[in-house]
Amino acid sequence: LSLYSSPARETKYVENPQTQLEEGVSRLRHVMEPYTAWWTELIVSSKIKVDSSLCSDFFSEGCEFLQNPPAGFYPRLGVIGFAGIVGLFLARGSRIKKLVYPAGLMGIGASMYYPQQAVSIAKVAGTQLYDWSLQGYIAVESLWKDN
């Protein structure tokens, strides 16, 4: 038994009256309901079309890779992204610097983590650069001989 007696409380729920703003929003929602239903149906039908397209395989593989990445993928990605941000910070002034510094620092960061891929890319890029320079040399030489 309680030492203090408490009177029985009678509680009842009192709903607050709606304000003009709440009434306006309610009317707007009722007016817009057919349009939102149409929009939802359009999105669902377009999603079905996109899922059945060939590109969905590419995106699903990418999503699977990001859901189950190899060990240490996200820290590496963070370091490479941070290198790009540092490159943007260091590249004040020139527009060329803003293109070269972030790309260069990100390339250096990526080559630290993925050296085999960096070597293969460097070989292909070196071959392409050699071919372009040789074509340029031949073009300049032919112009020089013609004159």
Side-chain angles (χ1 to χ4, degrees), residues 85 96 125:
I85 292 171
I96 295 173

Side-chain angles (χ1 to χ4, degrees), residues 70-88:
F73 174 73
Y74 287 122
R76 291 176 180 179
L77 186 66
V79 168
I80 294 168
F82 183 71
I85 292 171
V86 168
L88 280 175

Side-chain angles (χ1 to χ4, degrees), residues 97-127:
K97 284 183 183 179
K98 289 181 182 179
L99 292 174
V100 172
Y101 283 17
L105 288 176
M106 287 174 69
I108 290 170
S111 67
M112 286 176 19
Y113 286 117
Y114 304 104
Q116 293 173 342
Q117 290 86 351
V119 168
S120 65
I121 290 172
K123 284 181 182 178
V124 171
T127 305

Side-chain angles (χ1 to χ4, degrees), residues 50-63:
V50 169
D51 285 344
S52 64
S53 71
L54 296 175
C55 291
S56 67
D57 294 336
F58 173 75
F59 292 120
S60 66
E61 288 175 9
C63 288

Side-chain angles (χ1 to χ4, degrees), residues 1-139:
L1 294 172
S2 160
L3 292 176
Y4 304 103
S5 62
S6 59
R9 295 185 185 167
E10 292 184 27
T11 60
K12 67 177 187 177
Y13 176 73
V14 177
E15 189 172 321
N16 292 333
Q18 283 190 340
T19 63
Q20 286 182 344
L21 177 64
E22 290 173 333
E23 289 177 9
V25 169
S26 176
R27 273 190 246 122
L28 179 65
R29 288 180 71 186
H30 286 298
V31 168
M32 296 301 292
E33 186 175 8
Y35 301 109
T36 57
W38 172 79
W39 187 252
T40 304
E41 182 180 324
L42 180 70
I43 289 174
V44 168
S45 66
S46 65
K47 184 178 185 300
I48 291 170
K49 290 177 186 176
V50 169
D51 285 344
S52 64
S53 71
L54 296 175
C55 291
S56 67
D57 294 336
F58 173 75
F59 292 120
S60 66
E61 288 175 9
C63 288
E64 286 177 20
F65 179 78
L66 291 176
Q67 287 174 352
N68 301 318
F73 174 73
Y74 287 122
R76 291 176 180 179
L77 186 66
V79 168
I80 294 168
F82 183 71
I85 292 171
V86 168
L88 280 175
F89 179 71
L90 294 175
R92 288 189 235 163
S94 173
R95 289 183 183 173
I96 295 173
K97 284 183 183 179
K98 289 181 182 179
L99 292 174
V100 172
Y101 283 17
L105 288 176
M106 287 174 69
I108 290 170
S111 67
M112 286 176 19
Y113 286 117
Y114 304 104
Q116 293 173 342
Q117 290 86 351
V119 168
S120 65
I121 290 172
K123 284 181 182 178
V124 171
T127 305
Q128 283 288 337
L129 188 60
Y130 177 75
D131 289 343
W132 290 342
S133 65
L134 190 59
Q135 289 174 0
Y137 177 76
I138 291 170

